[in-house]
Amino acid sequence: KNEVEQSPQNLTAQEGEFITINCSYSVGISALHWLQQHPGGGIVSLFMLSSGKKKHGRLIATINIQEKHSSLHITASHPRDSAVYICAVPGGMNRDDKIIFGKGTRLHILP
Amino acid sequence: DAGVIQSPRHEVTEMGQEVTLRCKPISGHNSLFWYRQTMMRGLELLIYFNNNVPIDDSGMPEDRFSAKMPNASFSTLKIQPSEPRDSAVYFCASSLRSSGGEQFFGPGTRLTVL
């Protein structure tokens, strides 16, 4: 069974800072998801990646399959980036393995 | 597309009552997922369907929970009888495929059982 660890659990930073959130997992996977949950509760899928790097605006996600590790970066952070960021991976390599979520990183960007 | 639609958005009920949560997935998506989120346990997958067929219901807490997907555009999650510990936010999500596919989440139903 896959284990997912996120760090840090909580992060407070000043507006403009470069943010890094980490996710490690224990079993090889087909793809990893990064989700964002806003204070209002809505969940948005940010990235789904299986190798390399993806970029969307100020958000960058990288994954290292060999090291079983992914990072989510936010450049020029803004208070509106304040949210919980959740990493999710399949439970295993089987096609129908259910998804497992990390406990999330609560990010607070101060103006 | 309107995205994944869930109803109701909020539900307050008394212990012992039956609760039915509804979900309409994005048109064309063939996988549907029901999740529960609590402060203590975070996000948990309850059950998911592929082409309207339940694939894995091992996350369903107990027999009081049941889920159906009678067609590709509608699913229900039912709790009977409800208990205070069922209070949580229940999310529905859909995707083009069950494994590795990007999931699109509904707004959630906040359930409070008194």
Side-chain angles (χ1 to χ4, degrees), chain B residues 15-67:
Chain B
M15 184 174 68
Q17 296 297 306
E18 177 179 297
V19 174
T20 299
L21 311 181
R22 297 173 177 81
C23 176
K24 177 177 166 50
I26 292 173
S27 177
H29 283 187
N30 58 13
S31 294
L32 183 141
F33 306 79
W34 281 103
Y35 296 98
R36 179 173 67 176
Q37 185 178 39
T38 60
M39 289 291 292
M40 292 293 292
R41 301 170 68 93
L43 265 171
E44 301 173 283
L45 176 67
L46 299 177
I47 185 172
Y48 77 92
F49 296 84
N50 208 26
N51 295 319
N52 311 341
V53 175
I55 300 300
D56 185 348
D57 65 353
S58 59
M60 296 285 262
E62 45 197 277
D63 292 344
R64 297 184 298 105
F65 285 69
S66 63

Side-chain angles (χ1 to χ4, degrees), chain B residues 46 54 61 73 97-98:
Chain B
L46 299 177
S73 60
R97 59 189 179 96
S98 61

